[in-house]
Amino acid sequence: MCSRPSVPGPWKAISISKAINSQEAPVKEKHARRIILGTHHEKGAFTFWSYAIGLPLPSSSILSWKFCHVLHKVLRDGHPNVLHDCQRYRSNIREIGDLWGHLHDRYGQLVNVYTKLLLTKISFHLKHPQFPASLEVTDEVLEKAAGTDVNNIFQLTVEMFDYMDCELRLSESVFRQLNTAIAVSQMSSGQCRLAPLIQVIQDCSHLYHYTVKLMFKLHSCLPADTLQGHRDRFHEQFHSLRNFFRRASDMLYFKRLIQIPRLPEGPPNFLRASALAEHIKPVVVIPEEAPEDEEPENLIEISAGPPAGEPAVVADLFDQTFGPPNGSLKDDRDLQIENLKREVELLRAELEKIKLEAQRYISQLKGQVNSLEAELEEQRKQKQKALVDNEQLRHELAQLRALQLESSRNQGLREEAERKASATEARYSKLKEKHSELINTHAELLRKNADTAKQLTVTQQSQEEVARVKEQLAFQMEQVKRESEMKLEEQSDQLEKLKRELEAKTGELAHAQEALSRMEQGGSELSSRLDTLSAEKDALSGAMRQREADLLAAQSLVREKEAALSQEQLRGSQERGELQGRLAEKESQEQGLRQRLLDEQFAMLRGAAAEAQGILQDAVSKLDDPLHLRCTSSPDYLVSRAQAALDTVSALEKGHAQYLTSLADASSLVAALTRFSHLAADTIINGGATSHLAPTDPADRLVDACRECGARALELLGQLQDQQALPRAQPGLVRTPLQGILQLGEELKPKSLDVRQEELGAMVDKEMAATSAAIEDAVRRIEGSLRSEGRG
């Protein structure tokens, strides 16, 4: 067996210079392969970096982009010591990325993202040496690297999420430039951008598989609420990765270079442990490469002299002209040298053939290994699924046994449960009665509340009733006074009459006594008359006393009526004053509450308008911010944002009209204003970002439309913060500039993302015609400016 040929320094320099150049074309695989073989030969990347440091990377963004691509391939497929050699040059990689990140260059922005990915890759693999730079490890190695500590698993998952974010950010940056640029997958400029995504696809397939495994492991150790943030981040990366794989699969450039796996329609359900058995590891397959047409290069240097065939030709010309030297033929030594040179050439050709066959066998074996790994992974999943099913059956059996024990226990508890049920029913009936009582009480309270509300209206009626009662009492008092006076007069008359009769009777009695004295012995007639007169006297005395008592009773009744009337009048006046005070207090409270409600609603509206004004002012200021020049956006996204902002204008008009109708409710206007301000600010910022990639004239018109939209919106927000100008505000005026932004976004949309091979000629002709017209227009402008300066 022959020893392994050495890879000399000059050959490496040629391969590096051919692989890393300023031509806008993808790196050829043969040059990258020779650089990778060199790292395995010298067991490191010292020679690679010694030549790479001398490259003029700050002078060309394409040169820097291809350098990052070659470094990515060397990290993935080179010798393991390459990682430690690259660690010493981290500052150089970071400086290149920062340099191009501060410049407004299309490839420069990609270089900035690519260097961040490379730095993240180097840091991750140095921190976790169990994972090689190619990320190809078995599930056993992954389990060993994760360990059993939940904190380590948690931290490793976060680092893999960060790793995946850098990979996806690079793919999104490349596709974003392809969406708005002329270059497509079949043109060299497009292939130059797309070539590094092959390594990105290989990295992402492994990272996705490892994050799924780690997420299931975390969910088996921690509660689901704790991992909500991890699930949200994984779902976002899953949809981005699935979209990336789908777009890459549709491009012809990738179809002949790599077989991209397809992800499932939805992310795995980590809340269900058995879903791990449904997970299929995505396998990336690199098809067998066809032998490239390449010029043979010397892998073994024999001597520093001229090529093999040249000395023979020179010798023949010399012999023909001057004859053979000393008349003798070539000696045996020259013949041996020629024979050795021919053998070396044959050996070199055979060695090249052996290398090509070995590479072909290696690619075939890799494909077989990938397929076997896929089958092994499928068998592992089936085994794991069977284990999960077995565990479920065991769990169900244990549950059935527990149910049998519980059924035997429940038989003794059934009677107690029935008793408890009867007691519960009785308690339920009592609770039902209480509930009905509460309902009645509630209804009574409602009725009392209604009575209290009506009491204010009844107060006036009660006041009128009190006045009427007062008048009636006064009238009755007058009647009582008149009646009492009449009775007093009648009784006085009767008393006078009785007194007169008494005096007459007394006189008659005196006359009778005088007659009796004259008649010493009266007869029975005089005695009876005397008795009659005495009885009449007693009756008159009793009647007089009765009349006096009636008069006193009438006087006391009049005094009681007067006291009751005065008390009733006093009570009525007090109640009337109290009710009037309560009515005034209620009216003042209601007025204060109404005014407070109006003030709070307007304060809420003014605060929302001020916040929206700040958001829009920040968005408008981004149009003049030099740092914003690095931000870009696609016309499709701008159109979606502008359409969403347009949809909110109608809601804003409706909310404004409702608020003017009812000043006590500003909720609809505040909600519409909040959504409008965010969407309008988003539209302005994305409009400015879209203008950075648009031609000059449409870009200027787009920026002017964004400024007009911001000015109209700020004017509207100023009116909404002023109570005097609020009724005159017209939200519909913002619709016109938004429609202008929407129309410009539609005009800036790319007509197609990829073209067929037969359409490339027509596209090139159109672009050449447009370029010629632009050049002629620029020439006319320059000549006009020169003529105007000449006249001046």
Side-chain angles (χ1 to χ4, degrees):
M1 295 179 65
C2 59
S3 62
R4 183 175 180 177
S6 63
V7 183
W11 178 84
K12 280 188 178 180
I14 294 172
S15 298
I16 293 173
S17 62
K18 287 184 177 180
I20 306 174
N21 52 52
S22 59
Q23 295 179 0
E24 195 173 7
V27 177
K28 289 189 177 181
E29 187 65 28
K30 59 182 180 181
H31 303 317
R33 185 168 58 247
R34 288 170 184 164
I35 297 172
I36 293 169
L37 289 175
T39 62
H40 285 282
H41 178 265
E42 69 177 9
K43 296 181 174 56
F46 176 77
T47 306
F48 169 76
W49 277 107
S50 64
Y51 285 104
I53 289 298
L55 294 173
L57 298 180
S59 63
S60 173
S61 59
I62 297 177
L63 189 70
S64 301
W65 172 251
K66 297 177 80 170
F67 163 74
C68 293
H69 183 195
V70 173
L71 180 58
H72 196 175
K73 293 176 72 68
V74 169
L75 283 171
R76 277 189 55 84
D77 303 327
H79 193 271
N81 292 336
V82 169
L83 193 63
H84 298 280
D85 293 337
C86 293
Q87 170 66 13
R88 292 193 290 270
Y89 296 94
R90 283 174 58 89
S91 60
N92 301 83
I93 301 173
R94 185 180 293 106
E95 288 175 0
I96 293 298
D98 294 341
L99 171 66
W100 287 110
H102 291 96
L103 301 177
H104 192 65
D105 184 88
R106 297 176 67 81
Y107 272 101
Q109 301 300 320
L110 295 179
V111 171
N112 178 258
V113 179
Y114 210 163
T115 53
K116 292 179 181 177
L117 168 60
L118 294 174
L119 293 173
T120 303
K121 187 177 184 70
I122 293 170
S123 300
F124 178 83
H125 293 290
L126 285 175
K127 185 177 181 181
H128 303 283
Q130 304 92 336
F131 295 93
S134 61
L135 287 169
E136 295 182 1
V137 296
T138 61
D139 291 343
E140 289 78 9
V141 176
L142 177 64
E143 292 286 338
K144 185 177 179 181
T148 57
D149 189 359
V150 179
N151 295 324
N152 294 337
I153 302 173
F154 194 92
Q155 182 63 27
L156 180 60
T157 307
V158 171
E159 292 176 2
M160 285 195 174
F161 281 153
D162 297 337
Y163 200 163
M164 179 75 84
D165 282 337
C166 294
E167 302 275 0
L168 294 175
R169 196 176 297 116
L170 178 60
S171 65
E172 291 172 359
S173 301
V174 171
F175 282 128
R176 191 182 301 115
Q177 289 199 7
L178 289 179
N179 285 340
T180 56
I182 301 174
V184 290
S185 63
Q186 293 303 306
M187 299 177 68
S188 60
S189 58
Q191 293 177 0
C192 183
R193 290 180 172 88
L194 292 172
L197 297 188
I198 295 177
Q199 283 71 44
V200 174
I201 293 171
Q202 291 175 318
D203 290 346
C204 289
S205 62
H206 293 296
L207 289 173
Y208 169 74
H209 175 64
Y210 299 152
T211 51
V212 171
K213 290 282 189 179
L214 293 175
M215 285 290 286
F216 275 109
K217 194 176 182 68
L218 280 176
H219 279 78
S220 64
C221 302
L222 295 175
D225 296 339
T226 307
L227 300 173
Q228 182 62 44
H230 274 47
R231 287 198 300 275
D232 295 340
R233 191 173 182 186
F234 178 84
H235 290 168
E236 182 179 355
Q237 289 187 353
F238 173 81
H239 294 296
S240 299
L241 182 62
R242 187 171 182 275
N243 187 31
F244 168 41
F245 281 3
R246 179 183 57 79
R247 294 181 66 178
S249 301
D250 295 337
M251 290 190 173
L252 296 176
Y253 175 70
F254 291 110
K255 289 183 178 179
R256 63 185 183 84
L257 296 176
I258 187 172
Q259 183 178 344
I260 303 174
R262 289 190 175 274
L263 298 181
E265 294 294 330
N269 184 8
F270 299 113
L271 303 178
R272 184 168 55 90
S274 60
L276 179 60
E278 303 171 2
H279 169 66
I280 299 176
K281 178 181 179 181
V283 179
V284 178
V285 179
I286 303 295
E288 181 181 352
E289 298 177 0
E292 299 179 355
D293 296 333
E294 56 182 67
E295 298 177 359
E297 299 183 11
N298 294 330
L299 297 179
I300 305 176
E301 294 183 359
I302 303 299
S303 64
E310 190 173 355
V313 176
V314 174
D316 292 341
L317 292 174
F318 185 84
D319 291 343
Q320 291 176 3
T321 306
F322 301 101
N326 298 326
S328 63
L329 299 174
K330 298 179 181 178
D331 56 2
D332 295 338
R333 188 174 181 180
D334 294 336
L335 292 175
Q336 289 178 359
I337 290 173
E338 291 179 358
N339 291 332
L340 288 174
K341 288 181 178 179
R342 284 195 296 272
E343 289 179 2
V344 168
E345 292 295 332
L346 292 175
L347 289 173
R348 184 181 294 146
E350 291 180 359
L351 180 61
E352 195 67 27
K353 290 181 182 178
I354 290 171
K355 287 174 64 180
L356 293 175
E357 290 179 359
Q359 291 175 359
R360 189 179 299 109
Y361 290 149
I362 288 171
S363 62
Q364 290 178 357
L365 289 174
K366 282 184 178 180
Q368 293 177 2
V369 167
N370 291 332
S371 61
L372 290 174
E373 285 182 352
E375 293 178 0
L376 180 61
E377 187 66 24
E378 185 66 25
Q379 291 178 359
R380 285 177 181 172
K381 291 173 184 176
Q382 292 178 357
K383 179 182 177 182
Q384 188 172 5
K385 186 176 181 181
L387 291 175
V388 172
D389 294 339
N390 190 12
E391 189 66 26
Q392 289 180 351
L393 290 175
R394 288 180 181 177
H395 183 64
E396 291 177 358
L397 180 61
Q399 287 181 347
L400 289 175
R401 290 176 180 175
L403 287 174
Q404 288 178 356
L405 294 176
E406 289 180 359
S407 62
S408 61
R409 294 173 184 174
N410 290 334
Q411 288 179 357
L413 299 175
R414 187 173 301 168
E415 296 178 357
E416 184 178 357
E418 290 178 354
R419 290 193 299 271
K420 289 182 178 180
S422 60
T424 304
E425 288 179 358
R427 194 181 301 113
Y428 175 73
S429 61
K430 292 181 180 179
L431 289 175
K432 192 173 181 181
E433 292 175 358
K434 280 286 184 183
H435 180 66
S436 61
E437 291 179 0
L438 289 175
I439 292 175
N440 295 330
T441 306
H442 182 65
E444 185 65 26
L445 290 175
L446 290 176
R447 284 193 295 271
K448 287 183 179 180
N449 189 14
D451 294 339
T452 304
K454 293 177 181 179
Q455 187 176 2
L456 296 175
T457 57
V458 174
T459 303
Q460 297 177 355
Q461 297 178 359
S462 63
Q463 292 176 357
E464 296 176 357
E465 186 67 25
V466 167
R468 286 195 299 270
V469 170
K470 182 179 178 182
E471 292 177 357
Q472 290 178 359
L473 289 175
F475 180 72
Q476 291 177 1
M477 185 177 178
E478 292 293 333
Q479 286 182 348
V480 168
K481 283 182 178 180
R482 286 195 297 270
E483 290 177 357
S484 61
E485 289 176 354
M486 291 174 65
K487 288 181 178 180
L488 286 174
E489 291 177 355
E490 290 178 356
Q491 290 176 358
S492 298
D493 295 338
Q494 291 178 359
L495 184 59
E496 291 294 333
K497 185 178 180 181
L498 288 174
K499 285 180 178 181
R500 287 193 299 271
E501 290 179 355
L502 181 58
E503 291 176 354
K505 293 297 184 183
T506 303
E508 289 179 358
L509 181 59
H511 291 300
Q513 288 178 354
E514 289 178 357
L516 183 62
S517 64
R518 287 190 304 265
M519 296 174 68
E520 293 176 355
Q521 292 179 352
S524 58
E525 183 177 346
L526 292 174
S527 299
S528 61
R529 185 176 180 184
L530 181 61
D531 294 335
T532 302
L533 290 175
S534 299
E536 287 180 1
K537 179 182 176 182
D538 294 334
L540 290 174
S541 299
M544 185 179 64
R545 288 192 297 271
Q546 181 67 31
R547 294 295 181 181
E548 288 178 352
D550 291 339
L551 180 60
L552 293 174
Q555 290 177 353
S556 64
L557 179 62
V558 170
R559 285 194 296 270
E560 289 178 359
K561 289 287 185 179
E562 289 179 351
L565 180 60
S566 61
Q567 290 178 0
E568 189 68 26
Q569 288 178 350
L570 180 61
R571 190 183 301 109
S573 61
Q574 290 177 354
E575 290 181 356
R576 181 175 60 187
E578 183 179 356
L579 291 175
Q580 286 178 351
R582 289 171 60 185
L583 178 61
E585 184 179 358
K586 290 279 187 181
E587 290 178 352
S588 62
Q589 289 179 356
E590 183 179 359
Q591 187 67 24
L593 291 174
R594 180 177 295 276
Q595 186 62 35
R596 182 180 176 185
L597 177 62
L598 296 178
D599 294 340
E600 288 178 354
Q601 291 296 314
F602 181 72
M604 180 176 65
L605 174 60
R606 184 169 54 192
E611 184 68 21
Q613 190 174 15
I615 293 172
L616 286 170
Q617 285 176 350
D618 181 67
V620 173
S621 65
K622 288 291 189 297
L623 298 176
D624 299 325
D625 190 356
L627 297 177
H628 190 253
L629 296 175
R630 297 171 53 193
C631 299
T632 59
S633 180
S634 65
D636 293 327
Y637 187 71
L638 175 61
V639 168
S640 66
R641 295 292 88 193
Q643 186 61 48
L646 270 175
D647 294 339
T648 60
V649 175
S650 299
L652 188 61
E653 291 178 335
K654 184 177 179 182
H656 180 255
Q658 289 180 356
Y659 180 68
L660 292 179
T661 304
S662 176
L663 297 178
D665 185 13
S667 58
S668 59
L669 180 56
V670 170
L673 184 61
T674 303
R675 180 169 175 78
F676 166 76
S677 62
H678 284 86
L679 290 176
D682 198 8
T683 303
I684 293 172
I685 292 174
N686 283 280
T690 305
S691 68
H692 297 159
L693 298 179
T696 303
D697 187 20
D700 293 340
R701 287 191 285 122
L702 183 57
V703 172
D704 293 340
C706 292
R707 293 183 191 279
E708 183 183 358
C709 178
R712 292 280 182 87
L714 289 174
E715 181 182 359
L716 173 62
L717 293 175
Q719 292 176 345
L720 292 179
Q721 295 181 54
D722 188 3
Q723 283 186 334
Q724 302 297 329
L726 180 62
R728 301 193 301 271
Q730 296 181 0
L733 297 178
V734 190
R735 186 179 284 108
T736 302
L738 284 175
Q739 289 175 348
I741 295 174
L742 179 63
Q743 184 177 0
L744 288 172
E746 293 287 350
E747 293 176 0
L748 290 175
K749 275 187 179 180
K751 298 303 182 293
S752 62
L753 298 178
D754 204 348
V755 295
R756 294 174 299 184
Q757 192 68 29
E758 58 269 22
E759 296 177 358
L760 289 176
M763 287 185 61
V764 171
D765 293 339
K766 291 180 180 178
E767 288 297 324
M768 291 297 292
T771 305
S772 300
I775 291 172
E776 292 176 359
D777 188 18
V779 168
R780 284 196 300 272
R781 291 181 181 177
I782 292 170
E783 290 177 353
S785 62
L786 291 175
R787 283 196 296 270
S788 62
E789 290 178 359
R791 294 192 192 98

